[in-house]
Amino acid sequence: MVEDILQNFNIKAFESDLLTWYHENKRMLPWRESRDPYRIWVSEIMLQQTKVDTVIPYFKRFMEKYPTVYSLAEAPEEEVLKEWEGLGYYSRARNLHTAVQEVVENYGGTIPDEKKELGSLKGVGPYTQGAILSIAFNQPEPAVDGNVMRVFSRLLLINDDIARPRTKKHFETVVREVISKEDPSSFNQAIMDLGATICTPKSPACLVCPVLEHCRAFEVGAQAELPVKSKAKKQKPIFYAALKVKNADGNYLIEKRPETGLLANMYQFPMVPLSEVALIDIPKWFKKEYGVDVMLGKRDGDLKHVFSHLIWDIEIYEAETDAIEVADNRLRLASPDEMKKLPFPVSHLRIRGF
DNA sequence: AAGACGGGGTG
DNA sequence: CACCCAGTCTT
């Protein structure tokens, strides 16, 4: 029970030590320059599963291009995906795009400060909901991510497996009890900063921790063993040949991926599944699949690309075609300059080479 | 509850 | 190469 866990935990002293440290040491980040809920929202979506240093340049470009919910709502999806190119988890961008359109349609362009309404927006789950409510609207709502679970698992010596959904629920209950009612915005951001700079996953800097005297893990020397997290399963490799098919005009054959699933709506060079097709049969397979005649050229290296759940093992080939137009609606012929305006996943940016 | 869904950083 | 990470959606 939460009451038992918080026995002998000095909530007020903890809050005071944490917030004092935060006000003197908080990181200056682009999304902390105002409390504009839209900027907080965009930052929180970008920060899902992504490091601060990676996000900063994307956030700046994104806010310059789409300063308001209206500008983002009116943008073409392909353009939004282009802004997201390289960040990964592209459904975040597509969901955010859909969600700002919901805000414009249903809330007159004002981001709702009510929990249920906010949480109903596409891509806004329990964490983001709590982050926006606390950071932008100063409501005492927990915003529990892996970072927060790490900090509190150590502070309160909790050894539940943080990979389990019920454990996250548990931490939400704990944070709801502990969170500052005076300044929930600073409280949640302080925990995040603490987790990012001091209470780090490996070799935490306990000796300079502002809340060291509240930490039960440090008291018993268990900080390195927490949090407990079950291992992810190993990824399965999939073997492909990626074809850089060029015609006499110097245009390349590129393909738009399906609107659902992996890398939805992103562009790529056509990929031949080598588990089903022998190298010698590629032209025949390509004709049957896409209706385009190609001549396989020379090998142009290889690429291994690791995703969370699978690995692409790709042989890259140059190829030629006489085609100057294509019928298959997945395909199009594009010049290098045209390709640069379209969203490609990192793997195919590498294959492209420019 | 488990799997799908990207990419970069670290030791 | 193994492991880590500012989650959400679907099944």
Side-chain angles (χ1 to χ4, degrees):
Chain A
M1 294 309 296
V2 175
E3 298 78 47
D4 298 332
I5 289 171
L6 291 176
Q7 278 290 334
N8 301 320
F9 187 77
N10 191 333
I11 294 178
K12 290 314 290 181
F14 171 75
E15 172 184 334
S16 173
D17 291 341
L18 179 70
L19 292 184
T20 298
W21 170 80
Y22 179 67
H23 289 129
E24 290 168 5
N25 297 283
K26 66 178 168 190
R27 295 174 290 175
M28 297 305 295
L29 301 170
W31 47 89
R32 286 182 176 171
E33 291 168 8
S34 80
R35 268 202 182 173
D36 179 355
Y38 172 61
R39 293 172 63 89
I40 305 296
W41 182 13
V42 171
S43 74
E44 290 300 339
I45 299 297
M46 287 187 170
L47 287 163
Q48 289 168 10
Q49 308 287 293
T50 312
K51 300 269 195 298
V52 163
D53 289 342
T54 304
V55 166
I56 287 174
Y58 282 89
F59 178 80
K60 287 181 173 173
R61 285 197 298 268
F62 200 89
M63 294 313 307
E64 191 145 330
K65 186 141 191 169
Y66 310 120
T68 65
V69 292
Y70 298 101
S71 53
L72 179 54
E74 291 163 5
E77 184 191 275
E78 192 160 286
E79 185 188 286
V80 178
L81 283 174
K82 181 65 186 176
E83 288 301 307
W84 213 269
E85 181 182 79
L87 258 189
Y89 284 133
Y90 299 95
S91 65
R92 291 182 296 172
R94 299 189 300 118
N95 288 340
L96 175 61
H97 190 221
T98 302
V100 296
Q101 291 170 340
E102 291 180 55
V103 167
V104 168
E105 297 292 313
N106 303 333
Y107 302 102
T110 303
I111 295 162
D113 63 356
E114 198 275 317
K115 190 174 167 182
K116 230 173 163 165
E117 294 176 339
L118 195 57
S120 75
L121 296 172
K122 191 84 85 181
V124 179
Y127 166 76
T128 307
Q129 180 188 59
I132 296 172
L133 288 176
S134 61
I135 296 173
F137 298 118
N138 208 32
Q139 296 177 29
E141 287 290 326
V144 174
D145 58 5
N147 205 342
V148 172
M149 286 195 280
R150 181 175 64 254
V151 171
F152 278 101
S153 71
R154 287 170 177 165
L155 278 168
L156 300 173
L157 205 61
I158 295 170
N159 58 11
D160 300 335
D161 181 359
I162 66 168
R164 298 167 68 87
R166 58 163 52 158
T167 302
K168 189 175 163 190
K169 295 269 192 193
H170 184 222
F171 278 104
E172 283 168 354
T173 307
V174 169
V175 172
R176 196 175 287 284
E177 286 297 314
V178 174
I179 191 171
S180 167
K181 308 301 184 293
E182 300 296 315
D183 192 355
S185 174
S186 295
F187 184 94
N188 277 346
Q189 294 183 83
I191 296 293
M192 294 173 196
D193 275 20
L194 190 66
T197 64
I198 291 177
C199 197
T200 49
K202 279 171 287 189
S203 50
C206 297
L207 297 184
V208 296
C209 179
V211 292
L212 174 62
E213 59 181 277
H214 304 278
C215 187
R216 293 176 185 164
F218 182 79
E219 200 177 328
V220 298
Q223 65 272 19
E225 323 304 323
L226 293 170
V228 173
K229 187 179 184 181
S230 54
K231 296 187 204 313
K233 297 205 317 185
K234 217 168 68 178
Q235 304 98 323
K236 280 193 172 27
I238 309 179
F239 299 90
Y240 287 110
L243 269 50
K244 298 166 73 171
V245 185
K246 189 155 59 162
N247 71 4
D249 298 333
N251 292 331
Y252 287 90
L253 205 52
I254 57 172
E255 173 182 10
K256 186 172 185 175
R257 295 179 58 87
E259 59 187 345
T260 57
L262 182 64
L263 302 169
N265 287 348
M266 302 288 282
Y267 287 82
Q268 66 175 25
F269 294 96
M271 298 206 297
V272 184
L274 292 179
S275 59
E276 304 164 21
V277 185
L279 204 56
I280 187 74
D281 295 326
I282 285 180
K284 186 176 67 180
W285 181 90
F286 208 92
K287 175 71 171 175
K288 186 168 160 50
E289 177 73 15
Y290 296 108
V292 178
D293 285 303
V294 300
M295 295 149 278
L296 204 58
K298 63 173 192 283
R299 177 80 172 265
D300 188 28
D302 50 59
L303 178 72
K304 194 185 286 284
H305 194 82
V306 180
F307 298 88
S308 314
H309 58 303
L310 54 88
I311 298 174
W312 277 357
D313 214 320
I314 303 174
E315 299 178 7
I316 305 167
Y317 290 92
E318 295 181 346
E320 292 177 26
T321 182
D322 294 328
I324 52 172
E325 55 180 20
V326 287
D328 191 293
N329 55 21
R330 292 168 291 178
L331 295 180
R332 62 201 266 187
L333 256 356
S335 70
D337 279 344
E338 288 168 332
M339 292 168 67
K340 286 175 191 165
K341 294 174 185 154
L342 299 172
F344 282 67
V346 167
S347 51
H348 283 260
L349 288 174
R350 297 204 210 287
I351 293 170
R352 213 169 80 186
F354 58 84

